[in-house]
PDB file of all heavy atoms in Angstrom:
ATOM      1  N   CYS S 166       9.208 -41.301  39.900  1.00 72.00           N
ATOM      2  CA  CYS S 166       9.278 -40.071  39.104  1.00 72.00           C
ATOM      3  C   CYS S 166       8.417 -38.947  39.662  1.00 72.00           C
ATOM      4  O   CYS S 166       8.728 -37.772  39.469  1.00 72.00           O
ATOM      5  CB  CYS S 166       8.856 -40.358  37.670  1.00 72.00           C
ATOM      6  SG  CYS S 166      10.044 -41.333  36.744  1.00 72.00           S
ATOM      7  N   THR S 167       7.329 -39.306  40.332  1.00 78.00           N
ATOM      8  CA  THR S 167       6.415 -38.287  40.853  1.00 78.00           C
ATOM      9  C   THR S 167       6.625 -37.988  42.328  1.00 78.00           C
ATOM     10  O   THR S 167       6.122 -36.987  42.833  1.00 78.00           O
ATOM     11  CB  THR S 167       4.947 -38.728  40.650  1.00 78.00           C
ATOM     12  OG1 THR S 167       4.756 -39.992  41.305  1.00 78.00           O
ATOM     13  CG2 THR S 167       4.617 -38.853  39.170  1.00 78.00           C
ATOM     14  N   GLY S 168       7.331 -38.888  43.030  1.00 74.00           N
ATOM     15  CA  GLY S 168       7.520 -38.712  44.463  1.00 74.00           C
ATOM     16  C   GLY S 168       6.327 -39.191  45.268  1.00 74.00           C
ATOM     17  O   GLY S 168       6.262 -38.974  46.481  1.00 74.00           O
ATOM     18  N   LEU S 169       5.380 -39.853  44.604  1.00 85.00           N
ATOM     19  CA  LEU S 169       4.205 -40.390  45.275  1.00 85.00           C
ATOM     20  C   LEU S 169       4.484 -41.807  45.758  1.00 85.00           C
ATOM     21  O   LEU S 169       5.346 -42.490  45.220  1.00 85.00           O
ATOM     22  CB  LEU S 169       3.007 -40.409  44.316  1.00 85.00           C
ATOM     23  CG  LEU S 169       2.583 -39.072  43.711  1.00 85.00           C
ATOM     24  CD1 LEU S 169       1.516 -39.297  42.646  1.00 85.00           C
ATOM     25  CD2 LEU S 169       2.070 -38.126  44.791  1.00 85.00           C
ATOM     26  N   THR S 170       3.745 -42.250  46.758  1.00 88.00           N
ATOM     27  CA  THR S 170       3.898 -43.633  47.208  1.00 88.00           C
ATOM     28  C   THR S 170       3.256 -44.558  46.177  1.00 88.00           C
ATOM     29  O   THR S 170       2.374 -44.146  45.402  1.00 88.00           O
ATOM     30  CB  THR S 170       3.231 -43.856  48.572  1.00 88.00           C
ATOM     31  OG1 THR S 170       1.807 -43.687  48.431  1.00 88.00           O
ATOM     32  CG2 THR S 170       3.767 -42.870  49.605  1.00 88.00           C
ATOM     33  N   ARG S 171       3.660 -45.830  46.195  1.00 89.00           N
ATOM     34  CA  ARG S 171       3.079 -46.787  45.258  1.00 89.00           C
ATOM     35  C   ARG S 171       1.588 -46.975  45.525  1.00 89.00           C
ATOM     36  O   ARG S 171       0.811 -47.194  44.597  1.00 89.00           O
ATOM     37  CB  ARG S 171       3.799 -48.137  45.356  1.00 89.00           C
ATOM     38  CG  ARG S 171       5.209 -48.113  44.782  1.00 89.00           C
ATOM     39  CD  ARG S 171       5.809 -49.497  44.708  1.00 89.00           C
ATOM     40  NE  ARG S 171       5.059 -50.362  43.797  1.00 89.00           N
ATOM     41  CZ  ARG S 171       5.389 -51.625  43.529  1.00 89.00           C
ATOM     42  NH1 ARG S 171       6.439 -52.169  44.120  1.00 89.00           N
ATOM     43  NH2 ARG S 171       4.674 -52.338  42.691  1.00 89.00           N
ATOM     44  N   ILE S 172       1.195 -46.878  46.791  1.00 93.00           N
ATOM     45  CA  ILE S 172      -0.221 -47.020  47.134  1.00 93.00           C
ATOM     46  C   ILE S 172      -1.039 -45.890  46.510  1.00 93.00           C
ATOM     47  O   ILE S 172      -2.114 -46.105  45.957  1.00 93.00           O
ATOM     48  CB  ILE S 172      -0.415 -47.034  48.666  1.00 93.00           C
ATOM     49  CG1 ILE S 172       0.228 -48.282  49.267  1.00 93.00           C
ATOM     50  CG2 ILE S 172      -1.895 -46.953  49.019  1.00 93.00           C
ATOM     51  CD1 ILE S 172       0.144 -48.353  50.781  1.00 93.00           C
ATOM     52  N   THR S 173      -0.481 -44.650  46.591  1.00 94.00           N
ATOM     53  CA  THR S 173      -1.177 -43.496  46.001  1.00 94.00           C
ATOM     54  C   THR S 173      -1.285 -43.641  44.495  1.00 94.00           C
ATOM     55  O   THR S 173      -2.341 -43.390  43.900  1.00 94.00           O
ATOM     56  CB  THR S 173      -0.440 -42.191  46.350  1.00 94.00           C
ATOM     57  OG1 THR S 173      -0.422 -42.011  47.770  1.00 94.00           O
ATOM     58  CG2 THR S 173      -1.132 -40.990  45.709  1.00 94.00           C
ATOM     59  N   VAL S 174      -0.176 -44.052  43.861  1.00 92.00           N
ATOM     60  CA  VAL S 174      -0.182 -44.253  42.414  1.00 92.00           C
ATOM     61  C   VAL S 174      -1.215 -45.311  42.042  1.00 92.00           C
ATOM     62  O   VAL S 174      -1.990 -45.142  41.092  1.00 92.00           O
ATOM     63  CB  VAL S 174       1.215 -44.679  41.907  1.00 92.00           C
ATOM     64  CG1 VAL S 174       1.156 -45.120  40.444  1.00 92.00           C
ATOM     65  CG2 VAL S 174       2.202 -43.528  42.062  1.00 92.00           C
ATOM     66  N   TYR S 175      -1.241 -46.389  42.798  1.00 92.00           N
ATOM     67  CA  TYR S 175      -2.190 -47.479  42.534  1.00 92.00           C
ATOM     68  C   TYR S 175      -3.632 -46.971  42.615  1.00 92.00           C
ATOM     69  O   TYR S 175      -4.463 -47.283  41.754  1.00 92.00           O
ATOM     70  CB  TYR S 175      -1.970 -48.607  43.544  1.00 92.00           C
ATOM     71  CG  TYR S 175      -3.059 -49.654  43.546  1.00 92.00           C
ATOM     72  CD1 TYR S 175      -3.120 -50.635  42.554  1.00 92.00           C
ATOM     73  CD2 TYR S 175      -4.048 -49.639  44.537  1.00 92.00           C
ATOM     74  CE1 TYR S 175      -4.138 -51.579  42.555  1.00 92.00           C
ATOM     75  CE2 TYR S 175      -5.066 -50.584  44.542  1.00 92.00           C
ATOM     76  CZ  TYR S 175      -5.108 -51.550  43.548  1.00 92.00           C
ATOM     77  OH  TYR S 175      -6.108 -52.488  43.543  1.00 92.00           O
ATOM     78  N   LYS S 176      -3.931 -46.174  43.656  1.00 94.00           N
ATOM     79  CA  LYS S 176      -5.289 -45.676  43.846  1.00 94.00           C
ATOM     80  C   LYS S 176      -5.711 -44.739  42.710  1.00 94.00           C
ATOM     81  O   LYS S 176      -6.839 -44.813  42.222  1.00 94.00           O
ATOM     82  CB  LYS S 176      -5.399 -44.961  45.193  1.00 94.00           C
ATOM     83  CG  LYS S 176      -5.360 -45.902  46.395  1.00 94.00           C
ATOM     84  CD  LYS S 176      -5.491 -45.126  47.699  1.00 94.00           C
ATOM     85  CE  LYS S 176      -5.511 -46.073  48.898  1.00 94.00           C
ATOM     86  NZ  LYS S 176      -5.608 -45.335  50.185  1.00 94.00           N
ATOM     87  N   VAL S 177      -4.786 -43.859  42.299  1.00 94.00           N
ATOM     88  CA  VAL S 177      -5.109 -42.920  41.215  1.00 94.00           C
ATOM     89  C   VAL S 177      -5.334 -43.686  39.916  1.00 94.00           C
ATOM     90  O   VAL S 177      -6.317 -43.444  39.190  1.00 94.00           O
ATOM     91  CB  VAL S 177      -3.984 -41.881  41.027  1.00 94.00           C
ATOM     92  CG1 VAL S 177      -4.253 -41.037  39.779  1.00 94.00           C
ATOM     93  CG2 VAL S 177      -3.883 -40.983  42.255  1.00 94.00           C
ATOM     94  N   LEU S 178      -4.438 -44.618  39.607  1.00 93.00           N
ATOM     95  CA  LEU S 178      -4.570 -45.392  38.371  1.00 93.00           C
ATOM     96  C   LEU S 178      -5.835 -46.250  38.382  1.00 93.00           C
ATOM     97  O   LEU S 178      -6.503 -46.395  37.352  1.00 93.00           O
ATOM     98  CB  LEU S 178      -3.337 -46.278  38.177  1.00 93.00           C
ATOM     99  CG  LEU S 178      -2.011 -45.553  37.913  1.00 93.00           C
ATOM    100  CD1 LEU S 178      -0.878 -46.562  37.772  1.00 93.00           C
ATOM    101  CD2 LEU S 178      -2.099 -44.685  36.662  1.00 93.00           C
ATOM    102  N   LYS S 179      -6.162 -46.798  39.552  1.00 92.00           N
ATOM    103  CA  LYS S 179      -7.370 -47.617  39.671  1.00 92.00           C
ATOM    104  C   LYS S 179      -8.608 -46.768  39.395  1.00 92.00           C
ATOM    105  O   LYS S 179      -9.537 -47.200  38.682  1.00 92.00           O
ATOM    106  CB  LYS S 179      -7.454 -48.225  41.079  1.00 92.00           C
ATOM    107  CG  LYS S 179      -8.669 -49.117  41.282  1.00 92.00           C
ATOM    108  CD  LYS S 179      -8.699 -49.694  42.700  1.00 92.00           C
ATOM    109  CE  LYS S 179      -9.934 -50.565  42.907  1.00 92.00           C
ATOM    110  NZ  LYS S 179      -9.985 -51.115  44.297  1.00 92.00           N
ATOM    111  N   ASP S 180      -8.628 -45.550  39.950  1.00 94.00           N
ATOM    112  CA  ASP S 180      -9.755 -44.640  39.738  1.00 94.00           C
ATOM    113  C   ASP S 180      -9.849 -44.255  38.266  1.00 94.00           C
ATOM    114  O   ASP S 180     -10.953 -44.233  37.688  1.00 94.00           O
ATOM    115  CB  ASP S 180      -9.583 -43.392  40.607  1.00 94.00           C
ATOM    116  CG  ASP S 180     -10.749 -42.430  40.447  1.00 94.00           C
ATOM    117  OD1 ASP S 180     -11.878 -42.801  40.788  1.00 94.00           O
ATOM    118  OD2 ASP S 180     -10.521 -41.302  39.965  1.00 94.00           O
ATOM    119  N   TRP S 181      -8.713 -43.950  37.639  1.00 93.00           N
ATOM    120  CA  TRP S 181      -8.705 -43.590  36.221  1.00 93.00           C
ATOM    121  C   TRP S 181      -9.155 -44.753  35.345  1.00 93.00           C
ATOM    122  O   TRP S 181      -9.827 -44.549  34.342  1.00 93.00           O
ATOM    123  CB  TRP S 181      -7.312 -43.127  35.807  1.00 93.00           C
ATOM    124  CG  TRP S 181      -6.967 -41.756  36.319  1.00 93.00           C
ATOM    125  CD1 TRP S 181      -7.783 -40.894  36.983  1.00 93.00           C
ATOM    126  CD2 TRP S 181      -5.712 -41.098  36.194  1.00 93.00           C
ATOM    127  NE1 TRP S 181      -7.117 -39.729  37.287  1.00 93.00           N
ATOM    128  CE2 TRP S 181      -5.837 -39.824  36.813  1.00 93.00           C
ATOM    129  CE3 TRP S 181      -4.494 -41.449  35.641  1.00 93.00           C
ATOM    130  CZ2 TRP S 181      -4.793 -38.921  36.875  1.00 93.00           C
ATOM    131  CZ3 TRP S 181      -3.442 -40.543  35.699  1.00 93.00           C
ATOM    132  CH2 TRP S 181      -3.582 -39.285  36.309  1.00 93.00           C
TER     133      TRP S 181
END
Side-chain angles (χ1 to χ4, degrees):
C166 289
T167 58
L169 302 172
T170 66
R171 289 188 63 179
I172 294 177
T173 299
V174 170
Y175 169 78
K176 288 181 178 179
V177 172
L178 293 179
K179 181 180 179 181
D180 181 63
W181 286 354

